[in-house]
Amino acid sequence: MLAVETATSTLSVAMLRGGELLDEIVAPPGPAATTLLPAIAALSDRTGVSIDAVEGFAVSIGPGSFTSLRVGIATVKGLAFGTDRQVAPVPTLAALSLVPPESGATIVPMLDARRGEVYAAAHGGEGSSQPVVAAGVYTPDELCERLPLPCVLVGEAVALFGDAMIARLGDGASLLPAPAGDARARHVGTLGAAMLAKGEGVDAALLTPNYLRRAEAEVKRTGSRFEAPPRGS
């Protein structure tokens, strides 16, 4: 399985077999449109696994960078086009919750949502991806009010808001800043493999990003800041 993470500023791709990591490549800084395909080609060369031999895909669907998410999803659609290979649409915050070592603490993945807010959730400890705070857009103060302790704050927004949140939350909270706290394709792949095993993959043509917040042009057009909830939720 090929896993792709483009939701954050650290783009990465990983190849897994049976849920086990074969290799992972972190792309050099630069636009996803110019770095993603070379990273996939290098990963294929290093693992000896051609794209034609890939049986399924996992891709981070957001929230995150609007442009990079579109590039990642469009690339996976192109690679799977014309085949019956399934794609696991992996929520970025759920994948990010797997980054810290298991500690029993609640894991709080956080990404910058601009305007002084964060995309965030809170997931139970011991590697659980089950949310105890639903994924959404919060101010740091709103998020602190919802968090159980102990907790570990992880993700790119830690650099912006982590210190102030720790001051409010106290000794029960800790930080895992970059680069250790960056999102990785290996974690997208771990969740994606489990989703595919449970029959939760989708046809590549049905992939859509989950921005949580609309792009500014969409806000002006619709008058609404947030995405509508997925059908059936």
Side-chain angles (χ1 to χ4, degrees), residues 108 110-111 153-163 175-178:
V108 186
M110 298 167 38
L111 298 173
L153 312 183
V154 59
E156 292 180 335
V158 164
L160 298 173
F161 305 108
D163 289 343
L175 306 176
L176 187 63

CSV table of all heavy atoms in Angstrom, one decimal, residues 108 110-111 153-163 175-178:
chain,number,residue,atom,x,y,z
A,108,VAL,N,-3.5,15.3,21.6
A,108,VAL,CA,-4.2,16.4,21.1
A,108,VAL,C,-3.5,16.9,19.8
A,108,VAL,O,-2.6,17.7,19.9
A,108,VAL,CB,-4.3,17.6,22.1
A,108,VAL,CG1,-5.2,18.7,21.6
A,108,VAL,CG2,-4.8,17.1,23.4
A,110,MET,N,-3.0,19.2,16.7
A,110,MET,CA,-3.3,20.6,16.4
A,110,MET,C,-2.7,21.1,15.1
A,110,MET,O,-1.5,20.9,15.0
A,110,MET,CB,-2.9,21.5,17.6
A,110,MET,CG,-3.6,21.1,18.9
A,110,MET,SD,-2.7,22.0,20.3
A,110,MET,CE,-2.3,23.6,19.6
A,111,LEU,N,-3.4,21.7,14.3
A,111,LEU,CA,-2.9,22.3,13.1
A,111,LEU,C,-3.4,23.8,13.0
A,111,LEU,O,-4.5,24.1,13.5
A,111,LEU,CB,-3.4,21.6,11.8
A,111,LEU,CG,-2.9,20.1,11.7
A,111,LEU,CD1,-3.5,19.4,10.5
A,111,LEU,CD2,-1.4,20.1,11.5
A,153,LEU,N,0.2,17.7,23.5
A,153,LEU,CA,-0.2,18.5,22.4
A,153,LEU,C,0.8,18.3,21.3
A,153,LEU,O,2.1,18.3,21.5
A,153,LEU,CB,-0.1,20.0,22.7
A,153,LEU,CG,-0.9,20.4,24.0
A,153,LEU,CD1,-0.8,22.0,24.2
A,153,LEU,CD2,-2.3,20.0,24.0
A,154,VAL,N,0.3,18.0,20.1
A,154,VAL,CA,1.2,17.6,19.0
A,154,VAL,C,0.7,18.2,17.7
A,154,VAL,O,-0.4,18.4,17.5
A,154,VAL,CB,1.3,16.0,18.8
A,154,VAL,CG1,-0.1,15.5,18.6
A,154,VAL,CG2,2.2,15.6,17.8
A,155,GLY,N,1.7,18.5,16.8
A,155,GLY,CA,1.3,19.1,15.5
A,155,GLY,C,1.9,20.5,15.3
A,155,GLY,O,2.5,21.1,16.2
A,156,GLU,N,1.7,21.0,14.1
A,156,GLU,CA,2.4,22.3,13.7
A,156,GLU,C,1.9,23.4,14.5
A,156,GLU,O,2.6,24.4,14.7
A,156,GLU,CB,2.1,22.5,12.2
A,156,GLU,CG,2.8,21.5,11.3
A,156,GLU,CD,2.5,21.8,9.8
A,156,GLU,OE1,1.5,22.4,9.5
A,156,GLU,OE2,3.4,21.4,9.0
A,157,ALA,N,0.6,23.4,15.0
A,157,ALA,CA,0.1,24.6,15.8
A,157,ALA,C,0.8,24.6,17.2
A,157,ALA,O,0.6,25.7,17.8
A,157,ALA,CB,-1.4,24.5,15.9
A,158,VAL,N,1.5,23.6,17.6
A,158,VAL,CA,2.1,23.6,18.9
A,158,VAL,C,3.1,24.8,18.9
A,158,VAL,O,3.3,25.5,20.0
A,158,VAL,CB,2.9,22.3,19.2
A,158,VAL,CG1,3.9,22.5,20.3
A,158,VAL,CG2,1.8,21.2,19.5
A,159,ALA,N,3.8,25.1,17.8
A,159,ALA,CA,4.8,26.2,17.8
A,159,ALA,C,4.1,27.5,18.0
A,159,ALA,O,4.7,28.5,18.5
A,159,ALA,CB,5.5,26.2,16.5
A,160,LEU,N,2.9,27.6,17.6
A,160,LEU,CA,2.1,28.9,17.7
A,160,LEU,C,1.5,29.1,19.1
A,160,LEU,O,1.5,30.2,19.7
A,160,LEU,CB,1.1,29.0,16.6
A,160,LEU,CG,1.6,29.0,15.2
A,160,LEU,CD1,0.4,28.9,14.2
A,160,LEU,CD2,2.5,30.2,14.9
A,161,PHE,N,0.8,28.0,19.6
A,161,PHE,CA,0.0,28.2,20.7
A,161,PHE,C,0.4,27.3,21.9
A,161,PHE,O,-0.3,27.4,23.0
A,161,PHE,CB,-1.5,27.8,20.3
A,161,PHE,CG,-2.0,28.6,19.2
A,161,PHE,CD1,-2.2,28.0,17.9
A,161,PHE,CD2,-2.3,30.0,19.3
A,161,PHE,CE1,-2.7,28.8,16.9
A,161,PHE,CE2,-2.7,30.7,18.3
A,161,PHE,CZ,-2.9,30.1,17.0
A,162,GLY,N,1.3,26.4,21.7
A,162,GLY,CA,1.6,25.4,22.7
A,162,GLY,C,2.0,26.0,24.1
A,162,GLY,O,1.5,25.5,25.1
A,163,ASP,N,2.9,26.9,24.1
A,163,ASP,CA,3.4,27.5,25.4
A,163,ASP,C,2.2,28.1,26.2
A,163,ASP,O,2.1,27.9,27.4
A,163,ASP,CB,4.5,28.5,25.2
A,163,ASP,CG,5.8,27.9,24.7
A,163,ASP,OD1,5.9,26.7,24.9
A,163,ASP,OD2,6.6,28.6,24.2
A,175,LEU,N,4.2,19.0,25.5
A,175,LEU,CA,4.3,19.3,24.1
A,175,LEU,C,5.2,18.3,23.4
A,175,LEU,O,6.2,17.8,23.9
A,175,LEU,CB,4.9,20.7,23.9
A,175,LEU,CG,4.2,21.9,24.6
A,175,LEU,CD1,5.0,23.2,24.3
A,175,LEU,CD2,2.8,22.1,24.2
A,176,LEU,N,4.8,18.1,22.1
A,176,LEU,CA,5.7,17.3,21.2
A,176,LEU,C,5.9,18.2,20.0
A,176,LEU,O,5.1,18.0,19.0
A,176,LEU,CB,5.2,16.0,20.9
A,176,LEU,CG,6.1,15.0,20.1
A,176,LEU,CD1,7.4,14.7,20.9
A,176,LEU,CD2,5.4,13.8,19.7
A,177,PRO,N,6.8,19.1,19.9
A,177,PRO,CA,6.9,20.0,18.8
A,177,PRO,C,7.6,19.3,17.6
A,177,PRO,O,8.1,18.2,17.7
A,177,PRO,CB,7.8,21.2,19.4
A,177,PRO,CG,8.6,20.5,20.4
A,177,PRO,CD,7.8,19.4,21.0
A,178,ALA,N,7.7,20.1,16.5
A,178,ALA,CA,8.4,19.6,15.3
A,178,ALA,C,9.9,19.5,15.6
A,178,ALA,O,10.4,20.2,16.5
A,178,ALA,CB,8.2,20.6,14.1
